[in-house]
Amino acid sequence: MAEIVLKNVNKRWGNFVGVKDFDLTIPDREFLVLLGPSGCGKTTTMRMIAGLEDPTEGEIWIGDRMVNNVDPKDRDISMVFQSYGLYPNMNVYENIRFPLKVRKVPEAEHKERVMRASAMVELDDFLHRKPAALSGGQRQRVALARAIVREPNVFLMDEPLSNLDAKLRVSTRAQIKNLSHELKVTTIYVTHDQIEAMTLADRVVVMEKGIVQQVGTPTDIYDNPANTFVASFIGNPAMNLMEGELKDGVFTGKNVTIPGLTGSNGPVTLGFRAEDASIATSTGQIDAPVYSMELLGDATMVTVKAGGALVAVKADKEYRSEIGAPVSIAVPAEICHLFDVATGQRLT
């Protein structure tokens, strides 16, 4: 049982607040992703769970014991870092085996456990090589195998894919997803990449400036962002956000008129996803000239400038237009989200 509980955890350095009032229960075997931009507190939170940083206030529980004063080596966790941290003088087999030697696991068990971990990440053909003879993706798999061989209660992964190229990130991401299914170990994964978060997580914690903005499944966060920060951070492209006025159920802004909305009269921020809107065949709700057009293969991304904001919409892959040509965009009321202009919070 490796349920992790953080109770009102804070981390400060002088007047600087790194993490504020972090309060969360991570159930046993959950794959939780801490997501946010650089400096938002996600790595600091992970380091406090690992014991590499001490919380200023609050409690951290792993299983049935509070670990605030427990050394990292006694917390039964394995970490995978952004830098692979491999020993250059050891071959792959010895790098994977090293945690077993340090923890004085009986030597009779070493080969079986190393080979099992190696097979999980498809390294059997590289066990004799040293790290210098491996690609970046292979080195990352060695780091994963070294964490797996420990058979810990908790995995902590700190941006493990950020040093890989785009193609390797996709394949290694799939490998991590499969490993989490096979190993069924509580995992906390730190990333600034929202695609990694959406594809890997059971739940996502979105953070900004040390504060949790929203916790939920990837679908919850994508479909119902709690505020404009989450709306603008999740999604590729991010949610379109436009400021305007809501009066008697009609949103108006420069080049924009969207009827059929529900809410109190006054200034609001309106949001909608690019894939939920479409190029209108007749009169739409947004009329503006084409600002840019990008061919994506499976679709064409059309961007216009309306009301001072860049607004993107996904059109059919065959759609073509010229920059500057007028276009009308259909934005049904049911796909729209409304946010408070002052606070950015979602309006229900």
Side-chain angles (χ1 to χ4, degrees):
M1 173 78 172
E3 178 182 84
I4 299 172
V5 180
L6 292 92
K7 298 181 180 179
N8 300 112
V9 171
N10 290 268
K11 180 64 180 178
R12 292 189 300 273
W13 293 272
N15 293 326
F16 178 77
V17 178
V19 176
K20 184 177 181 182
D21 297 332
F22 197 109
D23 196 20
L24 185 70
T25 297
I26 305 164
D28 184 36
R29 301 184 178 186
E30 181 172 70
F31 196 115
L32 183 91
V33 172
L34 302 178
L35 174 68
S38 296
C40 72
K42 55 190 187 294
T43 295
T44 300
T45 302
M46 172 177 282
R47 287 173 63 83
M48 287 190 287
I49 295 169
L52 303 177
E53 296 278 1
D54 294 324
T56 309
E57 287 131 16
E59 298 177 0
I60 299 172
W61 292 73
I62 299 178
D64 57 0
R65 67 173 177 164
M66 190 172 76
V67 296
N68 289 45
N69 298 315
V70 176
D71 289 340
K73 65 183 177 63
D74 298 321
R75 296 192 183 194
D76 199 13
I77 58 173
S78 270
M79 287 195 73
V80 180
F81 297 95
Q82 179 179 347
S83 58
Y84 314 124
L86 304 180
Y87 298 103
N89 59 318
M90 296 181 185
N91 63 22
V92 169
Y93 182 93
E94 290 299 328
N95 264 286
I96 297 173
R97 186 167 81 111
F98 189 75
L100 302 179
K101 293 168 69 176
V102 169
R103 296 180 73 83
K104 296 182 171 54
V105 173
E107 200 158 329
E109 298 179 26
H110 287 198
K111 185 172 183 180
E112 180 191 347
R113 287 174 65 167
V114 169
M115 296 309 292
R116 186 163 66 242
S118 167
M120 283 183 175
V121 294
E122 300 174 6
L123 280 173
D124 289 354
D125 294 336
F126 305 96
L127 292 174
H128 63 286
R129 293 192 191 181
K130 290 188 175 177
L134 301 175
S135 69
Q138 289 162 347
R139 291 179 199 176
Q140 189 55 273
R141 299 206 316 259
V142 177
L144 283 169
R146 188 177 56 189
I148 291 165
V149 80
R150 279 265 324 278
E151 298 177 2
N153 271 329
V154 180
F155 281 126
L156 303 179
M157 300 188 181
D158 189 6
E159 308 223 28
L161 307 186
S162 57
N163 288 340
L164 305 181
D165 62 42
K167 185 177 179 182
L168 269 177
R169 273 203 301 272
V170 173
S171 59
T172 311
R173 194 169 69 218
Q175 205 153 34
I176 290 173
K177 182 80 171 178
N178 184 264
L179 278 173
S180 71
H181 175 75
E182 282 189 40
L183 296 170
K184 294 180 173 58
V185 173
T186 308
T187 302
I188 301 174
Y189 186 105
V190 163
T191 184
H192 63 273
D193 186 326
Q194 51 96 11
I195 294 176
E196 286 180 26
M198 296 293 287
T199 53
L200 290 173
D202 295 323
R203 280 193 306 162
V204 179
V205 178
V206 184
M207 300 181 69
E208 185 198 22
K209 297 178 181 176
I211 298 171
V212 173
Q213 302 294 314
Q214 188 171 0
V215 181
T217 66
T219 303
D220 288 340
I221 286 176
Y222 189 84
D223 290 344
N224 302 295
N227 53 43
T228 50
F229 173 79
V230 177
S232 63
F233 197 79
I234 298 289
N236 187 23
M239 181 178 283
N240 297 305
L241 296 172
M242 311 175 70
E243 291 191 5
E245 193 84 15
L246 186 66
K247 185 175 181 182
D248 299 331
V250 180
F251 175 87
T252 54
K254 188 178 178 183
N255 307 108
V256 184
T257 303
I258 303 175
L261 298 168
T262 302
S264 303
N265 291 349
V268 294
T269 299
L270 178 133
F272 63 91
R273 296 282 182 196
E275 65 271 23
D276 293 334
S278 60
I279 301 296
T281 52
S282 54
T283 304
Q285 284 70 48
I286 299 177
D287 295 301
V290 174
Y291 184 82
S292 73
M293 193 179 69
E294 303 161 85
L295 308 181
L296 305 180
D298 63 335
T300 301
M301 188 71 71
V302 180
T303 303
V304 303
K305 200 166 190 177
L310 292 178
V311 176
V313 58
K314 278 189 178 178
D316 291 339
K317 63 181 180 181
E318 294 85 8
Y319 181 84
R320 297 292 182 271
S321 184
E322 297 293 327
I323 291 178
V327 67
S328 191
I329 298 174
V331 186
E334 60 268 20
I335 72 166
C336 294
H337 307 255
L338 296 176
F339 302 92
D340 185 278
V341 170
T343 65
Q345 293 301 304
R346 182 184 186 83
L347 298 172
T348 55

